[in-house]
Each structure stands twice: as structure tokens, then as C-alpha cells.
Amino acid sequence: MPLKQYINTLADGQPYRHALFYKLPGGLRFCMAEGEHFARVLTAVRKGSIVCEDVFADADTILVHLQNYATPNRFDMRFTLRQLAMAGIAIPRAREIWAEPVPRQDPDDDESWCLNALFELPKSCLASLLWCAFAADFGELRPNPHCQVYLINPASGLMAHPYDDRGMDVVGTNREALRQLYSTHYAWLLEYDLDTMDRTFAQP
């Protein structure tokens, strides 16, 4: 199955941008941020790596989906590509790239697009990918490609979205794998949504 078709299957055919926990019910939302300023990113990378080691326990590679907003000017992506390279992330030749128009909120808004790149990387890139995701809100930090990062394990049917230094969503079609993550990392689940997760996973 083509990779792009697979991720649509994983998300039940729904477009996923941000807030996966709310858009794809039945998942988990983890609290990552602690401390102040840049230390938040370092803590988020540490905790995110521990959770993702379980998400990708049976995998040697990660299916990476990057999303970024841009105008029709193709040179907009130069900054993002340079920052990814600084993080040690090179987009391989075996990849799928496509663009989707972003609905205009106002008729006078400039045309903009959501650019997507889908490719596989070795699991050794996990920490660098998490850094790129968690550093998004800190403009002065580098490397910082300012794009959404989705990490997918096709074998287990799970997708992790480290949306910024505050948290990370894990969703997917494998209810038992999600239940194991719920039990193993219960202390890190976001308290605000804990009742929802308890109703989903506390009972067998």
C-alpha cells in the first residue's frame, strides 16, 4: 500500500493537523513540559523519547510525516530544509511530497498551502525529530524547522504527534498497544484530559 494511502487509513480517512487527541478519539495525550524556558524542550525530548521507545519498540525505522505552511513560492522551504539538515535529518530520495491548499479564512487572505513530506528514517533519528517538534515555539532555538512532525509505526498502527514542548498525542488503530502505553506512562498523561482517557482505557 502506498505510504500516503496508509496514513489516510490510520487516521480513518480524516485529515489530521494538530490536536489529534480530539480529532481522532480513543488516543492518549501526554504532558511533556516542565521547568522554564529552554529546559522545557530538553525535558520534553527526554520524556518523549521514553514514550516513543515503546511506540516504536518493534520497529527499526520511523515513518515520518512533516507538514509545513508556505506560499506558492517554492523557495519558502529552503529555511526548513536547512534547519532539518542542521538536526541531522536528510529527506531521502524515496519519499512522497504533495501540497494541499489551506482554506482561506477571509477572501482577501493570500493563497497558502500545506506542504507534506512522507519518508522513512532509522529509529536512531528519534531524538532529533523530537527536538525539531518540541522546539517549534522557541524562535531563538536552533535547529528549528518550524514544521509539524508526525511519527508513525505502520507495524503497530500507532502515530505520535509531539505538537510542541507542552505535550504529545499518541493515536492509532491498535487499542491494546494504546492501553499498554496508558498503563506504563500513566503518570505523564495530561491531567486536563485524564477523565476521558480513564473512561477509554481503565476498564478491560
Side-chain angles (χ1 to χ4, degrees):
M1 179 185 296
L3 296 181
K4 184 179 176 183
Q5 182 180 345
Y6 169 76
I7 62 172
N8 287 335
T9 300
L10 183 64
D12 292 328
Q14 301 298 316
Y16 56 90
R17 293 193 187 118
H18 317 292
L20 293 191
F21 177 80
Y22 301 114
K23 293 182 179 178
L24 302 172
L28 301 169
R29 174 157 277 204
F30 292 96
C31 178
M32 297 281 105
E34 295 177 2
E36 297 293 333
H37 305 299
F38 301 152
R40 295 171 63 92
V41 178
L42 296 174
T43 300
V45 171
R46 177 182 62 82
K47 293 172 67 175
S49 295
I50 292 171
V51 174
C52 284
E53 281 295 334
D54 288 341
V55 172
F56 295 95
D58 60 346
D60 296 320
T61 60
I62 298 172
L63 179 58
V64 181
H65 182 187
L66 303 182
Q67 288 182 334
N68 201 4
Y69 290 104
T71 69
N73 183 353
R74 62 183 178 178
F75 296 110
D76 287 344
M77 292 302 295
R78 284 184 170 178
F79 173 83
T80 295
L81 293 173
R82 284 198 300 266
Q83 295 298 307
L84 289 171
M86 286 176 59
I89 299 169
I91 298 179
R93 292 183 179 275
R95 64 203 182 198
E96 295 188 38
I97 297 178
W98 71 99
E100 300 167 338
V102 176
R104 299 187 189 192
Q105 302 299 317
D106 186 283
D108 294 329
D109 287 346
D110 292 334
E111 184 179 31
S112 60
W113 296 76
C114 181
L115 300 180
N116 299 267
L118 189 66
F119 50 89
E120 284 189 312
L121 289 178
K123 194 164 65 173
S124 58
C125 294
L126 176 59
S128 293
L129 290 164
L130 290 172
W131 170 274
C132 289
F134 289 134
D137 285 348
F138 294 88
E140 59 271 52
L141 281 182
R142 294 291 184 269
N144 193 345
H146 295 293
C147 59
Q148 295 294 315
V149 179
Y150 302 90
L151 308 174
I152 303 161
N153 183 348
S156 67
L158 295 179
M159 176 193 297
H161 178 214
Y163 49 86
D164 59 31
D165 64 292
R166 293 168 298 172
M168 180 173 71
D169 292 340
V170 180
V171 301
T173 57
N174 189 331
R175 182 57 59 86
E176 184 53 38
L178 289 167
R179 189 186 303 279
Q180 285 193 328
L181 292 172
Y182 164 86
S183 299
T184 302
H185 304 291
Y186 188 86
W188 289 349
L189 295 176
L190 186 66
E191 185 176 358
Y192 181 82
D193 295 302
L194 191 56
D195 286 346
T196 300
M197 291 180 278
D198 284 342
R199 287 195 299 270
T200 302
F201 296 107
Q203 301 299 323

